[in-house]
Amino acid sequence: MSKIEKVLVTGKTHTTHNSAGYTSRGHNGSLDITLSSPGSARPEHEFTAVQPHPKAEQLFAGAWSACYIAAVGLAAQQMKVTLPTDTAVDIEVDLGQTGPAYFLQARLTLRVPGLDHGVATELAHNADQICPYSKATRGNIDVAINVLTA
C-alpha cells in the first residue's frame, strides 16, 4: 500500500447518534446530513444544511462515519458495554499524491468519554471488523484508528 507524500484536500466529518438517527456534519459547514437506520420510519437521508459543492472526500467521510458509529453500537451490544451519550466519530479522508499517482488515506477517531481506554480500543477495532465501509477500504487505503476517552 502506497503512502501519500502530498495531501491535496481533506474531507472531515463529525458524526453523532441520537434518537433521530445519525447526524454527520462537515467541519466547515458544507455538509449536514441526517441518516436514519434501515427500517425506520424516517427518510433514509435528509440534507439539512448543505452548502454548494461539498468535497467528495467529505461525503465519503460522512457516509463512512455514520456506518462506523452504527457498527460501534453493534459492537457495544455484543460486548455488553454501555456507550456514553456523547459517543461520536470523527473521520478525515485525505486525497493525495505520491509521484504522479493519486491515493486516499483516512483517520478515524472514536470519542467515548469516560469509557475505559482498553475497552474503548477493543470496541473501536470490533466496530472496524463490522463496518462495511471499513471492510471495503481495508488493504486498499492507509487507515489509522484513534480512540479518545477523555
Side-chain angles (χ1 to χ4, degrees):
M1 187 170 1
S2 295
K3 296 276 188 183
I4 290 176
E5 293 174 353
K6 178 182 174 186
V7 174
L8 302 173
V9 67
T10 300
K12 300 177 185 179
T13 60
H14 177 77
T15 300
T16 57
H17 178 259
N18 57 39
S19 59
Y22 304 97
T23 302
S24 291
R25 289 192 169 84
H27 76 287
N28 61 0
S30 65
L31 182 68
D32 190 351
I33 303 174
T34 300
L35 300 161
S36 61
S37 300
S40 75
R42 292 181 49 86
E44 288 186 24
H45 58 274
E46 178 181 323
F47 294 92
T48 55
V50 177
Q51 299 296 316
H53 311 294
K55 297 177 190 104
E57 295 76 23
Q58 198 167 37
L59 292 169
F60 182 62
W64 189 355
S65 62
C67 183
Y68 184 80
I69 201 168
V72 167
L74 290 172
Q77 285 177 343
Q78 292 171 357
M79 294 171 60
K80 298 181 179 19
V81 170
T82 301
L83 292 172
T85 56
D86 49 355
T87 296
V89 173
D90 295 310
I91 295 188
E92 297 174 290
V93 175
D94 298 326
L95 170 65
Q97 272 184 290
T98 298
Y102 293 89
F103 297 98
L104 294 175
Q105 67 186 15
R107 291 166 303 288
L108 284 73
T109 301
L110 174 61
R111 298 175 184 276
V112 282
L115 202 59
D116 174 80
H117 195 271
V119 170
T121 300
E122 182 179 354
L123 180 65
H125 289 285
N126 288 350
D128 185 60
Q129 295 301 310
I130 294 170
C131 175
Y133 281 77
S134 295
K135 290 178 185 178
T137 59
R138 190 170 299 116
N140 294 312
I141 70 171
D142 187 29
V143 177
I145 298 176
N146 305 299
V147 176
L148 299 177
T149 57

